[in-house]
Amino acid sequence: LMLWYGVPELTVWNRWIMGFENDSQINCVTSANKSIHHINPVAEPGTGTEGVVIPFSDNKVIVVESRRRTGYDVMLGKESEGALVYAVDTSKSGNGGSGPFKALGPKRMKSGQWINFDAPLKAGETLTFEGWKITNLESGKFGDVVAIEKVAK
C-alpha cells in the first residue's frame, strides 16, 4: 500500500484488490489494437473508469491511473499530477525496490521509486514498457485520456 505521507491515496490496483473499485471501473486491455481510455482521478468518488490494467504475463501487469491534488492526495505537488503508470508483479511482496510495484515514467523521470513525484505522464508524453505504448493524449482536472497500443519490443 502507498502509505508514505506525501502520497497517502491508495493505488487504483490496491483499491480494486480490496473491493473499493468495481470491475466495471477497471478497463482490461488485451487487444493489440490501439484503444483510448478516459480515466477519472483515483481520489475522486464516482462510478467511471478509474484505471487501466494491461496483463503482459501470468503474474505481471501494467496499471495506468490518474492522480490529482484532491482527496488524500491534496498535498501532492503539481508535478505529481497526470497519468501514473506502474508495473505490478503479483509474485512479489514487500516494499522498496524488490517489492511488487515499479513506477514507470517518461525519460525525464529520475528513477523508478515511488518517492519521485515526476513519474506521471503529462499530456503529450509517451512511455513504452514490455511492448506496450502508453500515451497521455489529454490531461486536466477531469483526469487523463490515454492511448494504449501494442508495439514491437
Side-chain angles (χ1 to χ4, degrees), residues 50-84:
E50 297 272 332
V52 178
V53 174
I54 309 160
F56 63 91
S57 81
D58 287 344
N59 58 330
K60 296 177 183 175
V61 298
I62 300 167
V63 181
V64 185
E65 65 184 58
S66 180
R67 302 300 281 223
R68 291 293 177 277
R69 293 182 290 172
T70 186
Y72 290 120
D73 282 345
V74 73
M75 299 301 288
L76 287 176
K78 188 159 181 65
E79 69 280 0
S80 301
E81 294 186 314
L84 181 63

Side-chain angles (χ1 to χ4, degrees), residues 105-138:
K107 292 180 182 178
R108 65 172 165 70
M109 190 173 94
K110 292 177 180 62
S111 77
Q113 300 299 316
W114 286 110
I115 199 164
N116 290 319
F117 297 114
D118 57 350
L121 293 175
K122 309 297 183 209
E125 291 184 326
T126 297
L127 71 82
T128 302
F129 183 74
E130 293 295 329
W132 289 94
K133 179 179 172 184
I134 297 110
T135 303
N136 191 333
L137 301 173
E138 190 176 347

Side-chain angles (χ1 to χ4, degrees), residues 2-151:
M2 298 199 39
L3 297 175
W4 186 65
Y5 78 93
V7 188
E9 184 64 60
L10 295 172
T11 64
V12 77
W13 177 262
N14 283 320
R15 292 168 66 95
W16 177 67
I17 293 295
M18 294 187 310
F20 299 157
E21 304 291 348
N22 297 319
D23 290 350
S24 63
Q25 293 179 275
I26 307 296
N27 292 348
C28 183
V29 174
T30 56
S31 171
N33 296 330
K34 184 176 183 177
S35 58
I36 308 293
H37 307 267
H38 172 257
I39 307 171
N40 296 325
V42 70
E44 291 286 327
T47 57
T49 300
E50 297 272 332
V52 178
V53 174
I54 309 160
F56 63 91
S57 81
D58 287 344
N59 58 330
K60 296 177 183 175
V61 298
I62 300 167
V63 181
V64 185
E65 65 184 58
S66 180
R67 302 300 281 223
R68 291 293 177 277
R69 293 182 290 172
T70 186
Y72 290 120
D73 282 345
V74 73
M75 299 301 288
L76 287 176
K78 188 159 181 65
E79 69 280 0
S80 301
E81 294 186 314
L84 181 63
V85 184
Y86 52 95
V88 180
D89 182 344
T90 60
S91 70
K92 295 182 177 182
S93 63
N95 294 318
S98 62
F101 291 92
K102 177 184 178 186
L104 306 173
K107 292 180 182 178
R108 65 172 165 70
M109 190 173 94
K110 292 177 180 62
S111 77
Q113 300 299 316
W114 286 110
I115 199 164
N116 290 319
F117 297 114
D118 57 350
L121 293 175
K122 309 297 183 209
E125 291 184 326
T126 297
L127 71 82
T128 302
F129 183 74
E130 293 295 329
W132 289 94
K133 179 179 172 184
I134 297 110
T135 303
N136 191 333
L137 301 173
E138 190 176 347
S139 189
K141 206 169 191 174
F142 63 87
D144 294 280
V145 178
V146 297
I148 298 173
E149 60 188 306
K150 185 80 172 146
V151 295

